[in-house]
């Protein structure tokens, strides 16, 4: 979807640099305060995301060890904040989130606190907001308001608390934030704003690359970044050939795509080594056997496997003993490809699966992951308990989805966002189109993340896997609101301009004039 800008921007006089710096600093400070408040870091009562067992993938690569009695952080009933030093694990997970964690822990000794990571993420988000605001104001100070829908959701505790965790999600959130900021900058600037457009492209490309290399499941954001960069034009040289303006964006798109190949390949290879067959098992049993009746034959599984439809890998102590479980785990690639082929042959089932993933964005609170800090007196979570947001059990998942107040709202919001993006691309000369195009990009990205999540791991932990899509849908909602407000203000101004003025009455002075008959 094009994110070009109206030609009217080209004639806007560039504001003074000092004014732009002030706006940029204000945006950065607001972002910093929003994250620090939502995480509780500003008031000394940190709120994070408890470990579900994935944390060791990250902290062992940074040479950290939880400062708990059993040296674990998973399912402790709270967020383990204190870590000691340990030798790095021999096979750390390749992820950009690990690089950020190692940077936060660099030079520290025993007693390192997870709050340092939260502060680092808050500062990185603030720098991103300040850079985007400075670039957006190149076309007018008010243009920085396009960043408001992107920044506001970071003040939500459901999203910001992941900055205090050893998950890969916070790096994905930072990447999505940067990408959306870049789209906003590109939307409000013209091709003649060369430096500003290049900053926007840098944010889009860097954000997409950061998110995709944080988790392979966030690869749809890399696709978004590549597409956006490929359609953006930047004036290379004034008076030069017009075709050269179209080269910068595609070149950046190609570079970011090439840069992502090696880390994505490494992440996929690590996943296959560390968790062979788990994703294929979850996709098969939680989704395909649930949504496609009689799918066992097409998948080469015994008919008795249908009895376990809806159950995830971690729900049973011995998934290998489940009918068909051993076959899935023995050849996960074949089974996963068969799953995808079967869903493609049953588009209604595929649509239902994506619909469940969209509904699951309503569970961004992830109540099964505690937020309070762990202390020696904290009661650990009883293993084996599940709730609907986890998607570990078919009945609990369906019961949770049925309890949602507006389960259809995320899908409707995505459709409205895409429709607004198309309308904003067609009517790009209208002021409301700036926010509308932002809504279109974020809505499409959210649908891509939800689709990728359900096709990758089925319904298991579906709310956590669509958590980043929930952030983008919040951005979509606020961007749509911004477009409506802008359109209403513009309509009001047009009405006042077109209102007929009352005819002026002129008194003719008759003093001294000759009387008429």
């Amino acid at each position: 979807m094009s994110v070009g800008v109206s030609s009217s921007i080209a004639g806007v006089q560039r504001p003074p640099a000092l004014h732009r710096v002030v706006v940029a600093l204000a945006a950065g400070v607001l972002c910093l305060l929003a994250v620090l408040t939502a995480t509780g870091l500003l008031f000394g009562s940190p709120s994070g995301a408890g470990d579900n067992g994935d944390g060791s993938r990250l902290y062992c690569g940074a040479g950290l060890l939880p400062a708990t009695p059993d040296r674990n952080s998973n399912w402790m009933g709270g967020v383990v904040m204190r870590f000691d030093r340990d030798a790095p694990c021999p096979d750390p997970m390749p992820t950009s989130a690990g690089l950020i964690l190692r940077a936060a822990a660099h030079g520290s000794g025993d007693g390192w606190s997870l709050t340092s990571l939260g502060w680092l993420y808050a500062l990185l988000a603030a720098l991103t907001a300040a850079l985007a605001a400075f670039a957006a104001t190149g076309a007018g100070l008010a243009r920085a308001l396009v960043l408001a829908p992107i920044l506001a959701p970071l003040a939500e505790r459901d999203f910001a608390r992941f900055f205090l965790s050893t998950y890969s999600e916070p790096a994905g959130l930072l990447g999505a934030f940067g990408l959306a900021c870049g789209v906003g900058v590109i939307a409000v600037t013209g091709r003649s704003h060369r430096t500003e457009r290049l900053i926007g492209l840098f944010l889009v490309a860097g954000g997409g690359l950061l998110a995709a290399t944080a988790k392979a499941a966030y690869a749809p954001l890399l696709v978004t970044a590549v597409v956006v960069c490929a359609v953006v034009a930047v004036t290379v040289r004034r008076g030069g050939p017009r075709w050269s303006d179209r080269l910068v964006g595609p070149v950046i798109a190609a570079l970011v795509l090439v840069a992502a190949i090696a880390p994505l390949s490494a992440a996929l290879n690590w996943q296959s080594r560390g968790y062979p067959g788990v994703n294929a098992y979850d996709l098969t049993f939680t989704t395909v056997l649930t949504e496609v009746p009689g799918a066992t034959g097409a998948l080469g599984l015994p008919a008795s496997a249908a009895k376990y439809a809806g159950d995830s890998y971690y729900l049973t102590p011995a998934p290998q003993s489940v009918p068909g479980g051993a076959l899935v785990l023995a050849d996960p690639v074949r089974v996963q490809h068969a799953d995808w082929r079967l869903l493609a042959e049953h588009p209604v089932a595929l649509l239902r699966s994506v619909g469940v993933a969209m509904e699951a964005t309503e569970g961004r609170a992830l109540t099964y992951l505690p937020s309070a800090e762990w202390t020696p007196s904290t009661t650990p979570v009883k293993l084996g308990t599940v709730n609907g947001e986890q998607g570990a059990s078919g009945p609990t998942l369906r019961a949770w989805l049925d309890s949602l107040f507006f389960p259809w709202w995320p899908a409707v919001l995505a459709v409205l966002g895409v429709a607004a993006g198309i309308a904003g691309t067609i009517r790009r000369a209208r002021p409301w189109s700036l926010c509308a195009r932002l809504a279109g990009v974020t809505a499409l990205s959210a649908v891509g993340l939800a689709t990728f999540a359900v096709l990758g791991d089925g319904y298991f932990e579906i709310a956590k896997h669509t958590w980043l899509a929930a952030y983008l849908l919040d951005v979509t909602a606020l961007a749509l609101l911004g477009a409506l407000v802008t359109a209403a203000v513009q309509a009001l101004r047009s009405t006042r301009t077109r209102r007929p003025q009352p005819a002026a009455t002129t008194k003719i002075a008759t003093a001294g004039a000759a009387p008429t008959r």
Side-chain angles (χ1 to χ4, degrees):
M1 187 173 296
S2 173
V3 287
V5 73
S6 62
S7 58
S8 61
I9 294 178
V12 177
Q13 186 176 3
R14 191 183 300 271
L18 179 60
H19 295 178
R20 297 176 61 191
V21 170
V22 170
V23 172
L25 289 176
V29 170
L30 284 175
C31 181
L32 183 64
L33 291 176
V35 174
L36 294 180
T37 302
T39 56
L41 290 173
L42 191 63
F43 306 106
S45 55
S47 176
D51 186 7
N52 68 345
D54 293 345
S56 61
R57 304 176 182 182
L58 226 64
Y59 64 68
C60 72
L64 298 173
L65 193 65
T68 58
D70 61 357
R71 294 302 192 180
N72 286 315
S73 63
N74 54 306
W75 302 115
M76 298 295 292
V79 184
V80 176
M81 295 286 181
R82 309 299 298 182
F83 288 79
D84 296 327
R85 276 293 172 185
D86 187 32
C89 55
D91 188 21
M93 181 176 68
T95 168
S96 56
L99 298 176
I100 297 175
L101 177 59
R102 286 196 288 273
H106 179 72
S108 62
D110 288 350
W112 180 80
S113 175
L114 196 61
T115 56
S116 299
L117 180 65
W119 274 94
L120 179 57
Y121 271 116
L123 289 172
L124 290 174
L127 288 173
T128 301
L131 182 61
F134 181 80
T137 53
L141 296 181
R143 301 285 177 175
L145 291 175
V146 76
L147 303 177
I150 307 166
L151 196 155
L154 287 187
E156 297 181 41
R157 177 177 165 273
D158 293 341
F159 300 122
R161 75 183 182 113
F162 269 80
F163 287 142
L164 271 76
S165 73
T166 52
Y167 290 112
S168 298
E169 274 78 359
L173 177 58
L174 180 63
F177 176 71
L179 188 154
C181 285
V183 171
V185 169
I186 293 169
V188 300
T189 57
R191 68 174 66 190
S192 61
H193 297 94
R194 180 166 43 191
T195 302
E196 291 78 9
R197 270 286 171 97
L198 289 175
I199 291 175
L201 287 170
F202 167 76
L203 291 172
V204 169
L209 184 62
L210 176 63
T213 54
K215 288 186 68 172
Y218 294 159
L221 294 187
L222 178 67
V223 176
T224 299
V226 169
V227 172
V228 169
C229 290
V231 300
V232 171
V234 181
T235 299
V236 178
R237 181 167 54 88
R238 299 187 186 279
R242 300 292 289 178
W243 58 264
S244 64
D245 296 355
R246 294 286 181 183
L247 289 180
V248 177
V251 168
I252 293 177
L255 289 176
V256 73
L257 193 59
V258 171
I261 293 176
L264 279 177
S265 299
L268 293 173
N269 291 334
W270 185 91
Q271 178 74 21
S272 64
R273 291 195 307 271
Y275 299 86
V278 176
N279 289 354
Y281 186 101
D282 287 336
L283 174 61
T284 302
F285 281 88
T286 67
T287 305
V288 177
L289 294 184
T290 300
E291 303 295 353
V292 185
T296 53
L299 298 175
L301 304 179
S304 55
K307 179 182 177 182
Y308 295 86
D311 292 352
S312 69
Y313 178 91
Y314 294 103
L315 188 64
T316 57
Q320 296 85 352
S321 64
V322 173
L327 295 175
V328 175
L329 297 175
D331 194 1
V333 175
R334 180 197 68 79
V335 175
Q336 200 168 39
H337 288 173
D339 288 334
W340 294 337
R341 184 168 57 250
L342 202 58
L343 288 173
E345 293 171 356
H346 296 79
V348 175
L350 176 59
L351 190 61
R352 280 200 305 265
S353 303
V354 177
V356 168
M358 293 297 291
E359 290 179 29
T361 59
E362 295 286 87
R364 79 276 302 276
L366 300 173
T367 56
Y368 66 96
L369 298 179
S371 58
E373 182 176 359
W374 175 86
T375 65
S377 61
T378 302
T379 304
V381 176
K382 185 180 294 185
L383 297 178
T385 59
V386 296
N387 68 5
E389 295 173 19
Q390 283 181 289
S393 165
T396 57
L397 172 65
R398 296 297 173 179
W400 172 66
L401 292 175
D402 291 341
S403 70
L404 296 177
F405 195 58
F406 289 128
W408 41 265
W409 170 243
V412 171
L413 182 59
V415 171
L416 291 175
V418 173
I422 295 173
T425 302
I426 296 174
R427 306 299 297 272
R428 66 180 62 188
R430 302 298 178 90
W432 56 262
S433 71
L434 305 178
C435 285
R437 277 171 277 158
L438 172 63
V441 173
T442 53
L444 281 174
S445 299
V447 174
L449 286 174
T451 304
F452 217 69
V454 75
L455 292 180
D457 209 11
Y459 292 155
F460 179 62
E461 284 205 294
I462 188 64
K464 181 172 179 288
H465 294 164
T466 59
W467 168 85
L468 189 57
Y471 164 76
L472 291 173
L473 286 177
D474 280 10
V475 175
T476 301
L478 293 174
L480 287 174
L481 180 61
L484 287 174
V485 170
T486 304
V489 171
Q490 190 66 24
L492 184 61
R493 288 178 177 176
S494 299
T495 302
R496 289 179 176 177
T497 302
R498 295 171 185 171
R499 184 178 300 168
Q501 298 295 324
T505 57
T506 306
K507 290 185 177 181
I508 303 176
T510 57
T516 58
R517 294 184 180 180

